Amino acid sequence: MGTSEQINAYNRIQPFVEIMDCTLRDGEQTSGVSFLPHEKLMIARMLLKDINVDRIEVASAKVSDGDKDAVKMICRYARQIGKQDAVEVLGFVDGGDSVEWIADTGCKVINLLAKGSEKHCSGQLEKTVEEHVADIKYCIGLAEKYGMSVNLYLEDWSNGMKESPEHVYAMLDALTHTSIKRFMLPDTLGVLNPLQVIEYMRKMQKRYPNTHFDFHAHNDYDLAVSNSLAAVLSGCKGLHVTVNGLGERCGNAPLSSVQVILKDQFHAKTNIHEDRLNDISRLVEGYSGIAIAPNQPVIGENVFTQVAGVHADGDHKAGLYCNLLKPERFGRKREYALGKNSGRANIAKNLEELGLELTPEQTKKVTQRITELGDKKELVTQDDLPYIVSDVLKHDAPEDKVKLVSYVVSTAYGLKPGANVKVEINGKQYEASATGDGQYDAFVKSLRYIYKKYLDRTFPILANYAVTIPPGGRTDALVQTVITWNNNGKMIRTRGLDADQTEAAIKATFKMLNIFELEQNNND
């Protein structure tokens, strides 16, 4: 059967695909990434409850006491929500040490790491396949005594199928009749292409038709998603993914990309809640410190932003530039960029969202001004539009309702940074002090104290904070700080420009506060 016939047959069947997320184990092998125990718990909670993945692999056995604490907390939570069997830990064929370590955490599933290629078995373990199988069976027996179920990784399976398929078959022949629940087939070094995945997976399915196979992709050739889909197309029942594609070297298959291709291109069924994919991506981005590329499909900041004016015009008239990947599906919304390529259609869309009505001639003038700013590489956001409109049309700029009167921020060795802030809100002055994890954190905490104590209100939560310096900039170059705020689900993005990073952040903060105050006054 050719590939096109396979796809057509697959689309008619609409099978269920099991998704295992490996962010907390394989994803933590990303260079520079190390999650604290409570961070692991927060990620696990969201994956199990909000994203609704089928399984999560949360750690490797014997790595650290911190990992052990994290696994205990995650297992305790999973028991509370009836998903204890969805938590898995990687263990090694080490005479039972891993089994005992995992059993002590309360985890009920061990993913044994065995050798899926003759090269790894003889070169690393210096054992025959028979000796290796005997060691595996001993660990399986011990796991069963502890009431644990067992899945088996065939490490380097991809090279095993390429160079020593007889080793792979010998392993499966000896182990398919044991209590192993799943055989997990990793492309450990990311060397396969989709045609090879189809060939090898079909051989596995034909030889072992009643066996559950998972596929675990790595992205060294940028083929992790394609290979994952090829595996499912060939009968694989489960896929391994990570949030944001985290993982060693070039990473693993991203959860969000795998999900949308499974659903849209192959009409497969999963348990994933797509409307929370953006939320889990931002949570992991914050904890990992690894920024999501703006053009990363589904979750990137720019993927639902139309830049060309002709696209905005087409969307306005007949949705001509939309596909199945609608932003609302993922809890997001389509945006229309403001810059030199925007055109009047983009700007009209933004003005419409703000409730600003301009004549065609006025819109033309605003468009010209935004184009000029774009030529200078100025970043223009929707929040800048009212000021640009006022400037172009020679009206008075909107009066700031929230003004910074004065502030002092300080830091000293051995002490937490502090801030003393005086502000004017709707004509009245307020003052407060606070300490924080940094100067800006202390500044914002002072503001929140003022809003809570004197106004009995809170303002939006900081969702993202990005600092950029122009290429080739010197130490005295201007710093641009772009801050994204979450106001009950509505995102507000403001920016500040200054030679000092803290000052730039403060400017961005007061832009947000004035937008927030204007909305509050309009609602009252």
Side-chain angles (χ1 to χ4, degrees):
M1 185 184 292
T3 302
S4 60
E5 288 85 357
Q6 280 183 291
I7 293 173
N8 291 333
Y10 187 97
N11 287 343
R12 289 193 295 272
I13 297 169
Q14 292 188 319
F16 174 78
V17 180
E18 192 177 69
I19 301 296
M20 182 175 88
D21 184 275
C22 308
T23 304
L24 298 177
R25 199 277 297 175
D26 222 13
E28 200 178 30
Q29 292 182 7
T30 307
S31 179
V33 173
S34 179
F35 298 118
L36 296 172
H38 79 273
E39 293 174 339
K40 280 199 167 191
L41 177 62
M42 292 302 103
I43 294 170
R45 285 170 60 98
M46 183 171 279
L47 285 169
L48 289 174
K49 187 175 181 181
D50 300 320
I51 307 301
N52 202 37
V53 297
D54 299 288
R55 300 147 53 203
I56 56 174
E57 191 176 49
V58 300
S60 297
K62 306 188 301 183
V63 168
S64 70
D65 291 338
D67 263 13
K68 196 168 191 177
D69 290 339
V71 177
K72 287 179 178 179
M73 288 192 294
I74 293 169
C75 288
R76 188 161 53 245
Y77 170 73
R79 282 195 298 273
Q80 292 172 358
I81 63 170
K83 291 191 175 184
Q84 185 174 12
D85 291 339
V87 179
E88 305 173 8
V89 174
L90 180 76
F92 307 98
V93 183
D94 54 9
D97 291 347
S98 290
V99 173
E100 293 176 357
W101 189 95
I102 295 170
D104 192 45
T105 66
C107 181
K108 291 298 182 181
V109 185
I110 179 172
N111 293 339
L112 271 180
L113 185 67
K115 299 302 182 183
S117 68
E118 195 279 331
K119 182 167 58 179
H120 272 226
C121 188
S122 61
Q124 191 172 32
L125 298 183
E126 298 182 347
K127 291 191 175 186
T128 64
V129 66
E130 291 81 12
E131 291 171 329
H132 189 35
V133 166
D135 293 340
I136 293 169
K137 286 184 175 179
Y138 175 80
C139 292
I140 294 172
L142 185 60
E144 290 173 344
K145 289 181 181 178
Y146 280 107
M148 298 165 62
S149 61
V150 180
N151 301 318
L152 189 79
Y153 273 110
L154 291 174
E155 185 182 17
D156 201 37
W157 168 80
S158 47
N159 278 317
M161 292 299 290
K162 276 185 169 185
E163 301 166 3
S164 54
E166 69 285 346
H167 172 88
V168 177
Y169 299 146
M171 292 281 287
L172 270 292
D173 289 345
L175 295 170
T176 49
H177 302 296
T178 67
S179 61
I180 292 173
K181 189 172 183 180
R182 303 176 183 86
F183 286 84
M184 307 194 290
L185 311 177
D187 182 13
T188 303
L189 299 179
V191 297
L192 295 181
N193 63 52
L195 294 179
Q196 291 170 316
V197 173
I198 289 173
E199 176 189 351
Y200 299 150
M201 191 63 69
R202 287 177 68 183
K203 287 180 178 179
M204 299 294 285
Q205 290 287 347
K206 184 176 181 180
R207 189 173 177 116
Y208 309 102
N210 299 316
T211 303
H212 178 115
F213 291 117
D214 280 4
F215 181 68
H216 180 106
H218 279 266
N219 204 36
D220 296 70
Y221 282 94
D222 204 19
L223 290 171
V225 175
S226 299
N227 286 341
S228 296
L229 273 294
V232 171
L233 183 62
S234 306
C236 179
K237 293 182 174 65
L239 292 177
H240 297 187
V241 298
T242 60
V243 177
N244 302 342
L246 291 182
E248 195 170 22
R249 303 186 311 278
C250 302
N252 296 28
L255 165 62
S256 52
S257 296
V258 168
Q259 165 61 23
V260 298
I261 295 177
L262 278 174
K263 183 174 181 179
D264 295 357
Q265 303 293 341
F266 293 91
H267 307 291
K269 297 177 182 178
T270 70
N271 286 324
I272 301 299
H273 296 164
E274 293 183 338
D275 60 335
R276 301 303 303 273
L277 287 174
N278 191 58
D279 295 334
I280 188 64
S281 290
R282 298 303 160 189
L283 180 68
V284 171
E285 179 184 40
Y287 284 157
S288 69
I290 304 295
I292 300 169
N295 62 341
Q296 177 81 8
V298 182
I299 55 175
E301 183 178 354
N302 295 342
V303 296
F304 298 116
T305 300
Q306 301 281 35
V307 174
V310 65
H311 293 172
D313 182 60
D315 285 350
H316 180 70
K317 291 177 178 175
L320 299 179
Y321 293 90
C322 297
N323 56 24
L324 289 175
L325 297 174
K326 298 185 184 300
E328 295 78 13
R329 176 175 162 187
F330 311 105
R332 303 181 63 183
K333 69 173 186 175
R334 192 170 303 282
E335 297 181 358
Y336 296 88
L338 297 170
K340 64 180 182 180
N341 295 313
S342 298
R344 275 177 287 184
N346 267 21
I347 292 163
K349 279 277 189 182
N350 282 277
L351 290 169
E352 180 184 323
E353 283 197 19
L354 290 171
L356 295 172
E357 295 185 12
L358 301 182
T359 66
E361 184 60 30
Q362 290 171 330
T363 302
K364 181 179 179 181
K365 290 181 180 180
V366 172
T367 304
Q368 289 173 342
R369 176 59 57 86
I370 291 174
T371 301
E372 292 168 5
L373 292 171
D375 277 333
K376 297 176 183 178
K377 290 192 175 183
E378 287 275 358
L379 173 68
V380 181
T381 70
Q382 189 184 76
D383 301 317
D384 295 316
L385 262 182
Y387 297 90
I388 293 173
V389 169
S390 296
D391 180 49
V392 169
L393 303 183
K394 306 304 179 186
H395 295 318
D396 292 333
E399 181 184 356
D400 286 344
K401 299 293 184 182
V402 185
K403 301 175 183 177
L404 179 61
V405 178
S406 64
Y407 77 94
V408 175
V409 291
S410 62
T411 185
Y413 182 76
L415 298 175
K416 295 193 76 170
N420 182 269
V421 180
K422 181 183 288 187
V423 295
E424 181 180 304
I425 304 172
N426 292 320
K428 293 184 179 181
Q429 290 193 2
Y430 308 94
E431 185 174 353
S433 299
T435 60
D437 294 329
Q439 292 181 340
Y440 178 66
D441 184 51
F443 184 90
V444 172
K445 284 181 176 177
S446 299
L447 287 174
R448 289 197 180 280
Y449 179 84
I450 289 171
Y451 269 74
K452 186 63 179 175
K453 180 176 181 180
Y454 299 110
L455 304 177
D456 195 26
R457 291 162 52 195
T458 58
F459 57 80
I461 301 297
L462 191 148
N464 195 32
Y465 182 105
V467 178
T468 56
I469 299 175
R474 304 179 305 279
T475 54
D476 60 347
L478 288 175
V479 174
Q480 178 173 264
T481 302
V482 179
I483 305 179
T484 305
W485 309 85
N486 187 332
N487 184 25
N488 295 322
K490 178 184 178 183
M491 307 310 285
I492 302 172
R493 188 182 302 119
T494 55
R495 70 183 179 102
L497 203 63
D498 198 89
D500 179 79
Q501 180 179 326
T502 302
E503 184 70 24
I506 289 172
K507 289 180 178 179
T509 302
F510 273 81
K511 280 189 178 181
M512 177 277 295
L513 289 174
N514 277 287
I515 294 168
F516 176 67
E517 200 64 34
L518 182 62
E519 290 180 351
Q520 293 295 309
N521 291 339
N522 289 340
N523 291 334
D524 291 343

